[in-house]
Amino acid sequence: MLNLLHDSFWMILFFAIAIFIGYFVHFILFRILKRITDYTTINLDKYLVKHLKDPVRLFFIIIAIRTAISLLQTPISPEIYAFLQSFLYFITLFAIGWSIVKLISVFEDFLIQKYRMDEKDNLFARKIHTQFMVFKHLGIIIVAIVIISVALLRFESVRTLGTGLLTSVGIMGIVVGLAAQKTGAALIAGIQIAFSQPIRIDDVVIVENEWGRVEEINFTYVVVKIWDSRRLIVPTSYFLEHPFENWTKTSSDMLGTVFLYVDYRLPVDELRHELLNILDQSPWWDKRVSALQVTDSKETTMELRALMSVADSSSAWELRCEVREKLITFIQKNYPECLPRLRITAESISKYAEE
């Protein structure tokens, strides 16, 4: 009994030392690689070191354990040896899958650096990011399915069931297809969005009367960040089955409008000149379009529409608010009598008095 405990203690200590050595070698190696990548001009090596650091550490530990098993002098019982082999088999598969997923992240960082989203004209970048986000999730799902399938083949009972599963796969496919009809439709909708792209990452949309930006596109749902930082979760099929507004479908530039209702005595040319002065001093105007027009005439007021061009939707909101505020201030200071008012004449008063 004492000999058994003695052997077990030294075996555990031997494996612990082997794991520590693998961890230490990995630490030194990646410390050196980090120093090397700090002096390189390309970013790909930096992304590889950043993302593959953790899965490679697991590979080093696996190699250290396997080396320790081969160097171990104390004989291992068949049960423990079989357990260790199965454990290392599953951990190796996990490390392989983890590495593949991290390589996808390396490619994602490369795309983010190459196709920047913070530029004004980012239409092509948003197209690339949208397609990659959808196929990234698809790739992770495929990797997970393959790794789990290979792991299950480790069991003899699963391999012997193969023939039986092939005969019943048709019936099971029909049953699963009926049970997961909506889920399957959502997955197909996600792939359709990746190719047809009615929406893209960072698109400005109006969905369910809410203004927001597309923040995430997944297989089954889309996350829209609303202007007040709330998130609207919308099924992907919604964008294929319902009409919605996409303000940045072809380009990010757009026209902003401001409506004013003023008295008929207001000199429109003076207000038009003031609008141009406001736009010239505004950092939000892109200097393409500016106009002030009388678009309607009502019983008591006339409707003026100020039209201005901007580079993106965020600038449109800022410029519209600025122009609206400054035009109202201009009218208040220079033409206060031209603000909307209700006229009551002496004739109308005497008419109502007689009635």
Side-chain angles (χ1 to χ4, degrees):
M1 182 67 180
L2 292 176
N3 290 333
L4 179 61
L5 291 175
H6 181 270
D7 293 341
S8 300
F9 170 77
W10 285 109
M11 185 185 304
I12 294 172
L13 181 62
F14 190 70
F15 281 122
I17 293 173
I19 292 173
F20 175 78
I21 292 173
Y23 188 93
F24 182 75
V25 172
H26 168 272
F27 175 79
I28 296 299
L29 176 62
F30 270 79
R31 196 65 177 266
I32 295 172
L33 291 175
K34 180 67 169 58
R35 292 288 182 88
I36 294 173
T37 56
D38 288 340
Y39 294 98
T40 59
T41 56
I42 60 175
N43 293 317
L44 183 59
D45 55 355
K46 296 180 177 66
Y47 300 148
L48 288 170
V49 172
K50 171 186 173 183
H51 290 286
L52 294 180
K53 179 180 179 181
D54 293 331
V56 171
R57 181 191 295 119
L58 186 56
F59 275 115
F60 270 78
I61 293 174
I62 293 171
I63 294 172
I65 295 176
R66 290 191 177 275
T67 304
I69 293 175
S70 63
L71 296 177
L72 193 63
Q73 299 296 327
T74 304
I76 304 176
S77 65
E79 293 80 8
I80 296 178
Y81 182 80
F83 170 78
L84 288 175
Q85 290 297 326
S86 299
F87 175 77
L88 291 174
Y89 176 80
F90 294 129
I91 293 298
T92 303
L93 287 178
F94 174 77
I96 293 173
W98 193 9
S99 300
I100 295 174
V101 172
K102 286 296 185 179
L103 284 174
I104 296 176
S105 298
V106 170
F107 189 58
E108 181 180 17
D109 282 357
F110 174 76
L111 288 180
I112 292 174
Q113 188 269 335
K114 184 175 178 61
Y115 303 100
R116 301 190 62 83
M117 297 281 288
D118 53 0
E119 297 178 354
K120 286 292 184 182
D121 187 12
N122 60 357
L123 181 64
F124 185 72
R126 290 188 288 111
K127 176 181 178 180
I128 296 297
H129 282 267
T130 300
Q131 290 180 335
F132 179 78
M133 180 170 287
V134 173
F135 287 111
K136 174 186 175 182
H137 292 103
L138 178 61
I140 292 174
I141 292 174
I142 292 174
V143 170
I145 292 174
V146 171
I147 294 298
I148 293 173
S149 301
V150 175
L152 290 176
L153 292 177
R154 180 75 176 181
F155 303 99
E156 185 67 28
S157 57
V158 175
R159 292 200 297 267
T160 57
L161 286 174
T163 307
L165 288 174
L166 287 175
T167 58
S168 59
V169 69
I171 299 174
M172 288 298 295
I174 296 174
V175 173
V176 172
L178 292 174
Q181 185 176 4
K182 290 186 177 180
T183 303
L187 291 174
I188 294 173
I191 297 175
Q192 284 183 283
I193 286 177
F195 284 104
S196 60
Q197 294 195 342
I199 56 171
R200 302 182 182 93
I201 298 296
D202 206 41
D203 263 347
V204 177
V205 295
I206 295 181
V207 181
E208 299 293 317
N209 297 321
E210 296 283 1
W211 183 97
R213 290 181 178 273
V214 178
E215 190 174 44
E216 293 181 28
I217 300 178
N218 299 291
F219 268 123
T220 55
Y221 66 92
V222 175
V223 179
V224 179
K225 183 180 180 181
I226 305 175
W227 63 273
D228 57 359
S229 294
R230 290 179 295 146
R231 265 62 174 181
L232 186 66
I233 310 300
V234 186
T236 51
S237 57
Y238 177 94
F239 295 95
L240 300 176
E241 299 173 356
H242 299 86
F244 65 95
E245 292 186 33
N246 188 337
W247 290 9
T248 53
K249 179 66 174 70
T250 56
S251 64
S252 59
D253 58 299
M254 57 188 304
L255 297 177
T257 56
V258 170
F259 288 92
L260 295 175
Y261 297 90
V262 296
D263 191 81
Y264 281 94
R265 291 178 291 176
L266 178 73
V268 178
D269 286 338
E270 293 292 330
L271 194 64
R272 186 177 290 118
H273 181 70
E274 179 62 20
L275 171 64
L276 188 57
N277 290 336
I278 294 171
L279 293 178
D280 283 335
Q281 298 174 10
S282 175
W284 310 109
W285 186 45
D286 65 359
K287 305 184 185 304
R288 289 188 300 111
V289 178
S290 66
L292 180 70
Q293 299 169 316
V294 179
T295 54
D296 199 1
S297 57
K298 303 183 184 297
E299 294 179 356
T300 57
T301 59
M302 58 180 174
E303 181 186 80
L304 303 181
R305 185 189 68 180
L307 192 66
M308 62 221 75
S309 60
V310 289
D312 52 61
S313 60
S314 299
S315 301
W317 173 260
E318 298 290 345
L319 184 60
R320 288 172 62 194
C321 292
E322 180 184 2
V323 168
R324 187 182 295 111
E325 178 182 340
K326 290 185 176 180
L327 286 181
I328 292 175
T329 302
F330 176 80
I331 297 173
Q332 289 174 336
K333 289 182 177 180
N334 299 278
Y335 304 98
E337 71 280 0
C338 295
L339 293 170
R341 62 178 60 197
L342 178 63
R343 289 187 176 87
I344 300 178
T345 62
E347 294 178 357
S348 61
I349 294 176
S350 61
K351 180 180 178 181
Y352 282 109
E354 291 175 359
E355 293 178 354

